[in-house]
Amino acid sequence: MSVKPKWTRPSGPLNVWKVVDGYETLNDGTKKPVKFSIQDVPNDEKRRQEVLQLMYTHFLAEEPCSKSLKIKDTDPDGVQDFLTLWKYSLDQGVVIACYKLDSNGKIENLVGANIIFMKTPETLQDFNQMKQFFKSSNFLTIWDTFEDLASRADVCKTYNVDRYITSISLSILPAFRGQKLGLHILDARSPMAKKYGFSATTTFFTAQASQIQAKRAGFEEGVSVEFADILDDKGNPKFPNIDSKYAKIMMKRLP
């Protein structure tokens, strides 16, 4: 099932939000200086599949809620529900990707990505439509938790806006972690917002490392809840044995 987005990136050249210096660790352990491009995903099937594969392989295996509910290994409907969301973001044209550049400055390998959504009064209809087709109870547990906390934080009321940038998945390849690439990806929302006329952003952060990065990127806490206090109707934890303490909605006013 797919939903055609009511907001899409305006036509034109791909946006390169920033280029940053970093390194690649070679087989012998030495580090080779490289540059990374923080930019839009090219609109071709190969590049789209790279993003989907990154999220499937790493995000679903490592993100605390998905890991707790074992979505990647035991819940094919949950995987499909995530794919529905990720493809919607790709269709909007606003996934922020991080590519290693080759010696000629051309994009080479995908090393990270953030699934971005542009929320407007019109696209709210898209999400309501998608939710009707979600099949996985595990996925809906995550989605309902996200929606509940987001409604309590209320980015629209906090910043007096009717549209904002949000996201649900960010992942960096393990070999390239420790270089603040996630922070650079989060920072890219500022020029994106300026270009498209948005002035706020909010995200559901579930891992401590991502919460720390968000704070460094200027996000403030909208609401924070201990996972141990997120219970089902029978009083059981919705996210058993989760390896994170807090679920947080974090927000930022953008220039």
Side-chain angles (χ1 to χ4, degrees), residues 79-252:
V79 172
Q80 186 59 51
D81 290 342
F82 267 109
L83 284 169
T84 297
L85 274 180
W86 297 336
K87 289 177 181 178
Y88 176 87
S89 176
L90 286 164
D91 288 344
Q92 277 197 323
V94 289
V95 171
I96 298 177
C98 176
Y99 292 101
K100 187 184 75 167
L101 298 178
D102 65 18
S103 58
N104 296 315
K106 303 295 184 181
I107 63 173
E108 191 173 29
N109 300 329
L110 178 73
V111 302
N114 188 195
I115 302 296
I116 293 288
F117 307 107
M118 306 306 251
K119 282 286 199 75
T120 71
E122 295 76 26
T123 63
L124 289 176
Q125 301 173 31
D126 297 342
F127 287 90
N128 290 334
Q129 184 179 352
M130 274 191 287
K131 188 173 180 180
Q132 296 178 26
F133 293 94
F134 292 149
K135 296 180 179 180
S136 166
S137 60
N138 288 327
F139 177 86
L140 284 169
T141 294
I142 297 173
W143 188 253
D144 289 344
T145 299
F146 165 55
E147 286 194 325
D148 173 58
L149 297 183
S151 67
R152 290 157 63 180
D154 198 349
V155 64
C156 292
K157 182 178 180 180
T158 300
Y159 295 136
N160 191 28
V161 297
D162 68 349
R163 61 193 59 230
Y164 55 92
I165 301 172
T166 189
S167 75
I168 198 171
S169 310
L170 190 158
S171 187
I172 305 292
L173 286 177
F176 293 91
R177 293 174 187 171
Q179 303 188 57
K180 299 183 179 179
L181 295 178
L183 179 61
H184 289 304
I185 288 174
L186 290 175
D187 283 341
R189 295 190 198 181
S190 292
M192 172 184 278
K194 185 175 182 180
K195 179 159 187 173
Y196 299 138
F198 288 69
S199 59
T201 185
T202 182
T203 294
F204 181 37
F205 291 100
T206 58
Q208 183 180 17
S210 64
Q211 293 161 2
I212 291 172
Q213 281 193 331
K215 186 176 181 179
R216 289 172 178 166
F219 284 70
E220 60 181 334
E221 286 189 12
V223 64
S224 177
V225 177
E226 290 196 29
F227 277 109
D229 294 331
I230 302 176
L231 308 175
D232 63 20
D233 294 339
K234 297 180 180 180
N236 299 314
K238 287 188 176 182
F239 302 100
N241 303 312
I242 195 165
D243 57 4
S244 183
K245 187 172 183 179
Y246 296 102
K248 297 186 178 187
I249 296 292
M250 301 181 72
M251 307 182 296
K252 181 180 179 181

